[in-house]
Structures are given as C-alpha cells and as structure tokens.
Amino acid sequence: KNEVEQSPQNLTAQEGEFITINCSYSVGISALHWLQQHPGGGIVSLFMLSSGKKKHGRLIATINIQEKHSSLHITASHPRDSAVYICAVTLGSSYKLIFGSGTRLLVRP
Amino acid sequence: KAGVTQTPRYLIKTRGQQVTLSCSPISGHRSVSWYQQTPGQGLQFLFEYFSETQRNKGNFPGRFSGRQFSNSRSEMNVSTLELGDSALYLCASSPFSYGYTFGSGTRLTVV
C-alpha cells in the first residue's frame, strides 16, 4: 500500500464546476503539500499545510490530522486549471518528501 | 526575484556514460532537494542538502550522488547510466526545508 494515496486518478469537469481532489496518508507527517504540474513538467507549490485550512484565490486546501486526510478544492473551475495535481507529505522530522501518484484534471470549456 | 534554475534543460546520453546536472536555488535558500519523475514510478525523492550537508537520501543506488557548494548551488551526478535512468530530474529550494520552489527540470534521455 502506498504511503500517500490520491483520488481520483483522473477527473474531467465542465468549466464552472466545483472540484475536489482527495489525499490520504498512512505515515506521521510534519507537513502536507499540494503541487500543480502543467504539461512540460514545471511544478508549482500551491499549499503547505500542517493543520486547518488555507485559501488562495479559487483554491482551498484542508487537512484533518486525526483522519490523515486532506482535500484540495477548486471553485468555479476554468480550463486553465487543467493540470496534474500532486499531494506530497514531509515525513516526521526528516526532510524527505513522499508523493502521491497525482490527479490528472481536465476542465472542458 | 530569480527562480530555481536547472541546467541543462535537455540531455541525451549513452548507456554507461555519466552525467552531471546543476541546480541554482533562489538566493538565500539553503536547502536544495532533488527528485526523479518517471511515467512508471512517478515522483521520487533522491536527496536533500542543507548548508553543504546531505540530510536525507532516498532509495536509489549509489550511482546517484550529489553535493552542495558553499553558495548553495547543488549538483547531482549519475554514473554508469542505464536506460531506466531516463527521467525528468527536478530540484527544489527552500529557506527552511518546507515550502518548496521547484525548477523547470532537466529531461534526461539515455539511449
């Protein structure tokens, strides 16, 4: 079993829809990260969370430490949101990132 | 403010050769970490350096090595290249090991 599990693996939405991507982890963490990767490879760090909720524009990330679960929400989705979204965790007191397999999102106009 | 710079962007090497990739972090960032991304294995942690010291290493063979210089620039080296080493290699920098800024990556093809 992978230490970081994401769902769904693929997601197609219509422009304007509310989108949720889920991430569950099975290890002790010091932080959880949501990353965005566009075709061509560049990765952008969207959020780093250790508790609670963060919001940036139309993106919202939440984490429940007790349930070892995090969600990334996109409100009013737009075709430019089409990308791969990756959940990653920093293990305990180490400096090691463990990645989920990613969610490929396609937003149709 | 300049971002994380990785050079070269693309590289083609022959099996058995060695390769050195470079990463220049954001000014003031002392932590540099390296990752390998392949279609089959996804993103995997290679190693992390802070103030010239390797603090953690992923599960990769000894052919993969790295170092960090006093100006925080980092290099990673892969010796005796194998076809399976073909991948996108990404580095990221951070001021305190959390909150990463990623470079655009080096795409290595081994033929």
Side-chain angles (χ1 to χ4, degrees):
Chain A
K1 188 178 187 295
N2 293 334
E3 292 163 306
V4 181
E5 298 273 3
Q6 276 187 249
S7 63
Q9 284 191 310
N10 294 283
L11 184 55
T12 300
Q14 286 298 127
E15 183 173 357
E17 287 186 353
F18 181 85
I19 289 163
T20 296
I21 300 170
N22 295 300
C23 175
S24 296
Y25 54 92
S26 58
V27 293
I29 70 169
S30 51
L32 183 141
H33 310 260
W34 282 102
L35 311 171
Q36 180 192 57
Q37 186 172 34
H38 281 281
I43 290 179
V44 174
S45 179
L46 299 174
F47 295 103
M48 182 181 72
L49 295 159
S50 54
S51 65
K53 175 180 175 178
K54 288 190 176 181
K55 184 176 189 292
H56 186 254
R58 296 180 294 105
L59 302 178
I60 303 165
T62 63
I63 187 168
N64 184 317
I65 299 294
Q66 287 71 35
E67 295 186 5
K68 295 188 174 179
H69 181 269
S70 175
S71 294
L72 176 68
H73 305 286
I74 304 175
T75 62
S77 59
H78 190 276
R80 65 175 174 265
D81 297 326
S82 298
V84 176
Y85 292 84
I86 302 166
C87 171
V89 300
T90 307
L91 292 184
S93 59
S94 82
Y95 307 98
K96 185 176 180 180
L97 270 183
I98 305 294
F99 298 88
S101 56
T103 296
R104 189 174 300 274
L105 171 66
L106 174 63
V107 182
R108 296 188 188 279
Chain B
K1 186 176 178 182
V4 177
T5 304
Q6 288 190 248
T7 56
R9 288 295 309 275
Y10 302 92
L11 205 49
I12 300 175
K13 288 286 189 179
T14 303
R15 270 183 303 174
Q17 287 186 315
Q18 75 161 16
V19 66
T20 299
L21 311 182
S22 179
C23 174
S24 293
I26 289 174
S27 178
H29 286 194
R30 295 165 66 187
S31 169
V32 175
S33 47
W34 288 89
Y35 308 90
Q36 182 197 64
Q37 187 176 35
T38 60
Q41 298 297 319
L43 272 162
Q44 294 182 280
F45 172 83
L46 278 159
F47 24 66
E48 190 260 357
Y49 289 89
F50 185 89
S51 293
E52 302 179 65
T53 300
Q54 186 183 90
R55 296 196 294 189
N56 214 325
K57 191 176 191 303
N59 297 324
F60 280 82
R63 302 184 296 107
F64 290 81
S65 62
R67 59 179 175 168
Q68 187 180 33
F69 302 95
S70 58
N71 62 358
S72 293
R73 189 178 71 86
S74 178
E75 289 181 346
M76 67 162 282
N77 184 277
V78 188
S79 62
T80 320
L81 283 165
E82 301 176 0
L83 293 178
D85 297 332
S86 295
L88 179 67
Y89 290 88
L90 291 153
C91 83
S93 77
S94 168
F96 304 112
S97 299
Y98 306 138
Y100 302 91
T101 302
F102 286 81
S104 299
T106 294
R107 191 166 295 279
L108 171 65
T109 302
V110 182
V111 297

